[in-house]
Amino acid sequence: MSQRGPRAVVVVLSDDECAELSRWAGGVASPRLAERARIVLACAGGASNAWVAAECGVSSATVGKWRSRFAVRGLAGLKDEPRPGRRKSELVL
């Protein structure tokens, strides 16, 4: 039987990456970063996007996004990027 949809990016972790992600997932990092770490750890275990999404309470698209970003950029890909526009401090008078 053929697989439905595109094949998920395979996530392979080094020992150092696994240790750092586990630390982040344990609550050392911000809640957003901890969630992303849990997603990547589950993906590295070979789980499907749908299964990880159900376990983490996010959408399959969210899992795919963080799986792909980690595969391309590593740990740095999980951190927030600067958002466009002015910062909130610039908006307050």
Side-chain angles (χ1 to χ4, degrees), residues 12-57:
V12 179
L13 300 176
S14 69
D15 291 338
D16 291 339
E17 289 172 329
C18 187
E20 187 68 9
L21 288 169
S22 296
R23 196 171 72 82
W24 290 354
V28 173
S30 69
R32 284 182 180 173
L33 196 54
E35 178 180 71
R36 295 168 193 168
R38 286 191 292 274
I39 288 170
V40 172
L41 286 168
C43 290
S48 70
N49 285 2
W51 186 87
V52 175
E55 284 294 306
C56 294

Side-chain angles (χ1 to χ4, degrees), residues 30-92:
S30 69
R32 284 182 180 173
L33 196 54
E35 178 180 71
R36 295 168 193 168
R38 286 191 292 274
I39 288 170
V40 172
L41 286 168
C43 290
S48 70
N49 285 2
W51 186 87
V52 175
E55 284 294 306
C56 294
V58 298
S59 70
S60 292
T62 299
V63 174
K65 172 184 178 177
W66 295 115
R67 178 191 290 260
S68 296
R69 289 217 4 215
F70 180 81
V72 172
R73 301 183 205 159
L75 293 174
L78 301 182
K79 296 185 178 175
D80 285 326
E81 294 179 342
R83 301 201 183 262
R86 291 189 290 183
R87 294 183 303 238
K88 286 184 181 180
S89 61
E90 295 173 356
L91 295 174
V92 177

